[in-house]
Amino acid sequence: MPIKNYRHIIFFFALGVITLISYLWFVKSEFFPAFLAWAQSNSILYYIILVISKITGIVWPPLPGGVFTLGSIPVLGWLVAYSADLIGSMIGSTIAYFIARKYGMSFIRKIFDDEVIEKFQKIKIRPEREIESIFIFRVFGGNIVELFCYGAGFLRVNYFNYILASFLAHVVIGIPTFYLIRNILSGKGIFVSILFAVILAILFFTLKHRYFEIEK
C-alpha cells in the first residue's frame, strides 16, 4: 500500500535500518555508559520520553518510535521497555484513529495518494469479524500498521473493537518480540527470531483473505 509513492515506503524502511545500525554503534561507543547512567538516574523522565516517541511514531510514521523502545531493552529491561511501547502505541493509535475519523478525506489526502484512497474506499471489513480482522492485521501488518490506524478511523471501524483488538494484538506480538530482541542483543536466540518472523509471514498470507475483502 503506497504512501504518495513507493519511495516513501523505501524511506521508512531505510530510516528504520539506519536507526537500528546507529543504535548498535552507540551501544558499543564510549558515550553509552554515560547515557546508561543518566537514564538509570532519570528513569521516570526517560520512560516518559519513550512513550512520547512511540506516540509520535504512530501519528507521524517516519519517526521509528518502536526502534527507540526496542533499543531501551538494555537500559530498562525488556518488560519495562515493552510497557512504554504498549502505552505509547495505544495512545498513538487512538490519536491517529480520531484524526482520520474527524477530518476524513481532507486529511487523508495530505498523507495518501489517490490510489491508496481508492483502496480504502473499496476495503470492507466484515462486521461479524471486525475484532478478529483488526487483530490479524495488527499482528501481521508489518510496517504499514501505522497506516491502518488512520485507515480504521477513515473507514469508521467501531472504536471499541479497534482499540481492544489493537491491545490484544500488541500483547501477542509485542511480548515475544521484546523478549527475542533481548536475546538477540545479548547474542542469543538469533535463529529462533528468524524462524518466528518467517512463521508470522506465512500465517499472514494464509489468513488475510479470511478476514478482509476488497470490492471490485
Side-chain angles (χ1 to χ4, degrees):
M1 188 179 295
I3 318 169
K4 291 297 181 184
N5 53 56
Y6 290 102
R7 288 177 295 181
H8 285 73
I9 296 179
I10 296 173
F11 171 74
F12 294 153
F13 176 77
L15 185 60
V17 171
I18 292 172
T19 303
L20 181 58
I21 292 175
S22 299
Y23 168 75
L24 293 175
W25 169 84
F26 180 64
V27 168
K28 297 181 181 297
S29 73
E30 60 184 12
F31 304 106
F32 184 72
F35 166 76
L36 182 61
W38 176 87
Q40 291 176 341
S41 299
N42 301 273
S43 56
I44 296 178
L45 175 60
Y46 183 67
Y47 187 89
I48 293 173
I49 291 173
L50 283 182
V51 171
I52 293 174
S53 71
K54 182 64 180 183
I55 294 172
T56 307
I58 296 291
V59 178
W60 179 243
L63 179 67
V67 174
F68 299 137
T69 51
L70 284 170
S72 297
I73 292 175
V75 180
L76 301 175
W78 75 270
L79 188 56
V80 176
Y82 167 73
S83 70
D85 193 272
L86 174 62
I87 293 172
S89 180
M90 293 303 99
I91 296 174
S93 295
T94 296
I95 293 173
Y97 173 91
F98 282 107
I99 286 176
R101 183 157 184 164
K102 179 177 180 179
Y103 296 103
M105 189 65 68
S106 62
F107 182 83
I108 292 294
R109 289 191 182 280
K110 297 178 180 180
I111 302 178
F112 305 110
D113 60 17
D114 292 337
E115 182 182 353
V116 172
I117 293 173
E118 183 179 353
K119 288 183 179 180
F120 275 153
Q121 292 172 328
K122 290 181 178 180
I123 291 176
K124 181 181 179 181
I125 299 178
R126 300 173 182 175
E128 72 277 10
R129 291 178 176 167
E130 196 168 70
I131 293 179
E132 295 175 75
S133 300
I134 298 168
F135 175 84
I136 292 296
F137 197 96
R138 290 297 299 253
V139 169
F140 304 114
N143 62 351
I144 60 173
V145 165
E146 290 83 359
L147 307 185
F148 182 72
C149 295
Y150 284 105
F154 176 73
L155 296 172
R156 294 191 172 274
V157 170
N158 179 276
Y159 173 73
F160 176 79
N161 292 342
Y162 163 74
I163 203 65
L164 174 61
S166 297
F167 173 80
L168 295 175
H170 195 286
V171 170
V172 168
I173 196 68
I175 291 178
T177 297
F178 273 72
Y179 182 77
L180 290 171
I181 292 296
R182 184 202 68 168
N183 291 341
I184 291 175
L185 292 176
S186 63
K188 304 175 182 178
I190 296 178
F191 173 77
V192 174
S193 300
I194 295 175
L195 180 62
F196 180 71
V198 170
I199 292 174
L200 288 182
I202 293 174
L203 285 174
F204 173 65
F205 286 109
T206 301
L207 297 176
K208 64 177 180 177
H209 294 298
R210 172 178 170 83
Y211 296 97
F212 297 93
E213 56 185 29
I214 299 178
E215 298 175 351
K216 302 295 184 181

